[in-house]
Amino acid sequence: MDPVIAEQLGRAHPLARHLDDFLTDLANAGASAHTGRAYRGDLIAFAAHHGEEIGALSAASVRAFLAELADLSPASHKRKRAAVASFAKWAVRHDLLQANPMGRIDTVKVPKTLPRPAAAADVAKVLAAICTRRPRKDLPLDRLRDRVLFETAYVCGARASEVCGLYVEDLDLRLDDEHVRVHGKGGSVRTVLLDDRGYVALLKLYLARAGYTAGPLFRASINGRGGPLYYDAAHHRWQSYCAQAGVEIDIHQLRQAHATELINAGVSTEAVRRRLGRASAETTQLYALLDDKVADAEIRAARRRRDQAIH
């Protein structure tokens, strides 16, 4: 049984074994480790509230659970509802539940908000706090690893979890055709061109110093024998580097910053969507809207300066 479920719920809890089976099936279906962790936390919270056999799962019990989440953001509320809905659907499919109660539960609407991309200067400041693109020969390998890891997320517009899961075999560094295969959500794979020469040079230096020819690209240990670096560890290290640089940037803003830079450079939203691995162009279009708002602000500022000059 999953140790987190066993610790937080107890093996004797009526839903413990079912949650463990559900998460196993979720992982086997290709769900990311990040999704698995999020669903596990949400479902443990639901199970702690429900406390009954799976056959007693009803619309009333789900509504009572969701009612306790009123103080959460709509996005968090929606995610927790989705976790319970996915679990209920799985239970019906495995004949553990007669009917799915989620059809009687209202969906959660999340208002669309503009992305919060980090400024390029702030990203550069954090990356420089890790090391330069021409690091000293005595720089610890884990620090060089971190610089390459976070710069990969930035220059590829990739999710941090996707970057943590990269393997050396995903890279193709042939001259003038450098690219990487990024494994995204739902088992999707996209090819991202590595068109920043300085970054490619740093990536090659990292591979040479690490001596990696196969296996995980970013490893948890510095002796080259560890497995992939976990997302949580990468997130913690990123926060530490941000503190050193005196900058507040969420790790997800690296991806947003890259998307915004592409939009500002005139790249179509469809091309940006494909590069970021988004299923829909609707979210990507928010970056274009953000660019429009910045442009509008600049136009208004220019008009104010003109009016002041006239008067």
Side-chain angles (χ1 to χ4, degrees), residues 45 264 270 286 310:
N264 290 347
E270 174 58 22
L286 291 176
I310 293 175

Side-chain angles (χ1 to χ4, degrees), residues 110-249:
V110 179
K112 290 182 172 60
T113 58
L114 290 175
R116 297 180 301 106
D122 287 340
V123 174
K125 190 180 297 184
V126 180
L127 293 177
I130 305 173
C131 72
T132 69
R133 274 190 169 179
R134 295 185 176 181
R136 304 186 316 272
K137 291 184 177 180
D138 61 348
L139 182 76
L141 182 59
D142 63 335
R143 204 166 180 97
L144 178 58
R145 174 203 64 195
D146 290 350
R147 166 76 195 226
V148 178
L149 186 154
F150 296 124
E151 191 159 358
T152 299
Y154 181 46
V155 303
C156 294
R159 301 173 181 88
S161 57
E162 294 172 341
V163 176
C164 289
L166 288 176
Y167 274 62
V168 177
E169 293 88 338
D170 293 320
L171 297 171
D172 189 333
L173 300 181
R174 288 176 293 178
L175 185 63
D176 295 329
D177 188 32
E178 297 92 340
H179 59 269
V180 60
R181 290 177 294 277
V182 180
H183 300 263
K185 292 183 175 181
S188 64
V189 180
R190 65 188 186 277
T191 299
V192 178
L193 180 67
L194 303 178
D195 47 9
D196 186 320
R197 292 296 180 189
Y199 161 75
V200 171
L202 186 67
L203 173 60
K204 289 181 177 179
L205 174 65
Y206 166 65
L207 288 171
R209 288 199 184 176
Y212 299 159
T213 57
L217 180 58
F218 302 110
R219 307 187 187 190
S221 62
I222 61 175
N223 60 15
R225 293 192 295 270
L229 187 71
Y230 285 129
Y231 169 83
D232 290 343
H235 186 266
H236 176 74
R237 295 180 74 86
W238 174 254
Q239 289 180 317
S240 175
Y241 292 127
C242 286
Q244 292 178 34
V247 174
E248 290 188 11
I249 301 176

Side-chain angles (χ1 to χ4, degrees), residues 231-289:
Y231 169 83
D232 290 343
H235 186 266
H236 176 74
R237 295 180 74 86
W238 174 254
Q239 289 180 317
S240 175
Y241 292 127
C242 286
Q244 292 178 34
V247 174
E248 290 188 11
I249 301 176
D250 185 84
I251 196 169
H252 188 66
Q253 288 179 279
L254 293 174
R255 175 174 162 86
Q256 295 172 341
H258 179 72
T260 303
E261 288 173 11
L262 292 179
I263 293 293
N264 290 347
V267 179
S268 70
T269 55
E270 174 58 22
V272 175
R273 182 194 69 78
R274 291 196 302 269
R275 187 171 177 96
L276 270 62
R278 292 190 177 279
S280 169
E282 183 178 0
T283 306
T284 309
Q285 287 170 351
L286 291 176
Y287 293 100
L289 177 59

Side-chain angles (χ1 to χ4, degrees), residues 21-98:
D21 290 343
F22 165 74
L23 293 172
T24 299
D25 286 350
L26 191 68
N28 291 338
S32 69
H34 179 69
T35 297
R37 287 192 297 270
Y39 272 34
R40 180 180 63 190
D42 293 338
L43 291 173
I44 286 176
F46 171 71
H49 177 275
H50 181 63
E52 298 181 48
E53 294 291 342
I54 193 168
L57 199 159
S58 65
S61 61
V62 176
R63 286 197 191 97
F65 169 66
L66 295 178
E68 294 184 351
L69 310 178
D71 293 337
L72 295 181
S73 68
S76 296
H77 199 160
K78 181 176 181 178
R79 191 197 70 201
K80 292 181 184 298
R81 182 196 181 282
V84 176
S86 183
F87 176 62
K89 183 178 180 180
W90 172 88
V92 171
R93 191 168 65 247
H94 288 78
D95 297 323
L96 300 171
L97 193 62
Q98 288 187 350

